[in-house]
Amino acid sequence: MKKTILLIFLIIFGGVTLFMSSSVLFDWFGIREKEGHFIPFVVWANWICGMLYLIAALGISRNQSWAKLLLIISLVILILTYFGLFIQINDNVPYETKTIGAMTFRIAVTALFIFLTNKIDKK
């Protein structure tokens, strides 16, 4: 049951992440304009992580040990992107303040996914 819940959240989170980041990158539905001052490398990092979440969900559903590695890679990408975001902010590049909160949330959720995957792997 816990595995199923994790998979549902991974698929939803990955799907939403992939949809929203690709909407900004490829300007679908006019979302790019609504996002204001976005930092392109942050959006690309989110897009990559969205793909990794979905592939990790597939791996977890098939009991593959590499799935946890994909989540760890996602966490590393997000942390490095977070540092890069603050470098951009210090360089006075325009940005949206909601990006800081969104990145913090995404890092925490990814860490939670890793924690839950560890719990499932031990059973």
Side-chain angles (χ1 to χ4, degrees):
M1 185 66 167
K2 290 180 184 179
K3 181 177 173 180
T4 303
I5 294 170
L6 173 62
L7 288 172
I8 289 169
F9 279 106
L10 256 175
I11 291 167
I12 291 171
F13 196 68
V16 169
T17 298
L18 197 58
F19 173 76
M20 290 305 295
S21 57
S22 63
S23 294
V24 173
L25 291 171
F26 307 118
D27 199 19
W28 297 346
F29 315 110
I31 290 178
R32 181 183 289 173
E33 184 178 322
K34 294 175 187 172
E35 286 303 310
H37 297 289
F38 66 93
I39 309 287
F41 72 84
V42 172
V43 182
W44 276 108
N46 289 335
W47 185 84
I48 291 166
C49 289
M51 294 292 288
L52 292 175
Y53 295 143
L54 294 175
I55 297 168
L58 177 65
I60 291 169
S61 73
R62 296 183 178 174
N63 298 316
Q64 299 295 314
S65 60
W66 50 261
K68 183 170 64 173
L69 178 61
L70 294 181
L71 294 174
I72 292 168
I73 291 169
S74 294
L75 185 60
V76 170
I77 289 170
L78 291 170
I79 291 170
L80 292 174
T81 302
Y82 199 60
F83 286 128
L85 172 62
F86 281 101
I87 291 169
Q88 291 287 313
I89 291 170
N90 285 333
D91 287 343
N92 294 319
V93 173
Y95 71 99
E96 298 294 325
T97 55
K98 66 183 178 182
T99 305
I100 296 169
M103 288 296 295
T104 303
F105 175 75
R106 184 170 302 284
I107 289 168
V109 169
T110 304
L112 179 63
F113 286 152
I114 294 167
F115 174 77
L116 294 174
T117 302
N118 279 333
K119 287 280 211 186
I120 290 170
D121 284 347
K122 290 181 182 181
K123 291 188 178 187

